[in-house]
Amino acid sequence: MFDVLVYLYENYWRPDACPDHEQLTRKLSAVGFETDEIQEALSWLDGLAATAEMAQIRMPAQDSMRVYQPRELALLGEESIGFISFLESAGVLPPPMREMVIDRATAVGAGPLSLDDLKIIVLMVFWSLGEEPDALILDELFVAPEERLIH
């Protein structure tokens, strides 16, 4: 599923630039993705769209504190929760987007979620809202820490 999401991010600049599900399924199949993987990704994206609509309706206060439920802790894992906290403290993941990330991460269902998969989810949340993360956040999402150059 995550490979399909990355492909969509790289090839469609916004969700509304994607063709309808039927045509997109054909395009993804032609590129070589498996039908099950495509359907899982499209279903996940439908959930992302619904979550984005709900986030606009009931936005948590900007100074809210997030308390994770035991199920969320198990599904997300320590490393992913730490990364979400890092993004929040850096001021790039406001509470409504944080909730979207948590919702979509727990929708994956298998835990604990790898940090690489969580980073893809964060990227897809930005993508779904038509927002481009700044260069430093993109670096954090894509470049492995051991590959970073210290100047």
Side-chain angles (χ1 to χ4, degrees), residues 25-41:
T25 299
R26 283 194 306 271
K27 285 185 174 199
L28 292 169
S29 290
V31 172
F33 291 108
E34 299 292 325
T35 303
D36 292 346
E37 189 177 21
I38 294 168
Q39 293 308 315
E40 185 181 1

Side-chain angles (χ1 to χ4, degrees), residues 32-61:
F33 291 108
E34 299 292 325
T35 303
D36 292 346
E37 189 177 21
I38 294 168
Q39 293 308 315
E40 185 181 1
L42 294 179
S43 176
W44 188 90
L45 285 171
D46 288 341
L48 178 59
T51 302
E53 284 181 31
M54 290 304 295
Q56 293 173 358
I57 296 170
R58 49 181 187 112
M59 291 177 47

Side-chain angles (χ1 to χ4, degrees), residues 86-99:
F86 162 72
L87 293 176
E88 280 185 279
S89 66
V92 296
L93 193 68
M97 288 177 72
R98 174 197 64 212
E99 293 306 311

Side-chain angles (χ1 to χ4, degrees), residues 63-117:
D63 60 348
S64 66
M65 183 177 91
R66 181 63 153 89
V67 177
Y68 291 89
Q69 299 297 315
R71 178 178 177 272
E72 293 170 333
L73 290 170
L75 288 172
L76 292 170
E78 217 173 274
E79 193 174 27
S80 293
I81 291 173
F83 188 70
I84 291 170
S85 296
F86 162 72
L87 293 176
E88 280 185 279
S89 66
V92 296
L93 193 68
M97 288 177 72
R98 174 197 64 212
E99 293 306 311
M100 290 176 66
V101 167
I102 293 168
D103 177 76
R104 294 293 76 210
T106 56
V108 172
L113 190 66
S114 77
L115 183 57
D116 288 338
D117 290 347

Side-chain angles (χ1 to χ4, degrees), residues 6 9 83-84 86-87 92-93 97 101 115-127 131-145 148:
V6 170
Y9 180 83
F83 188 70
I84 291 170
F86 162 72
L87 293 176
V92 296
L93 193 68
M97 288 177 72
V101 167
L115 183 57
D116 288 338
D117 290 347
L118 179 79
K119 288 178 177 183
I120 293 169
I121 291 170
V122 170
L123 192 63
M124 294 308 292
V125 167
F126 275 96
W127 180 78
E131 295 185 24
E132 179 79 21
D134 68 30
L136 292 175
I137 295 306
L138 282 174
D139 184 53
E140 193 64 42
L141 292 173
F142 286 116
V143 179
R148 290 196 181 103

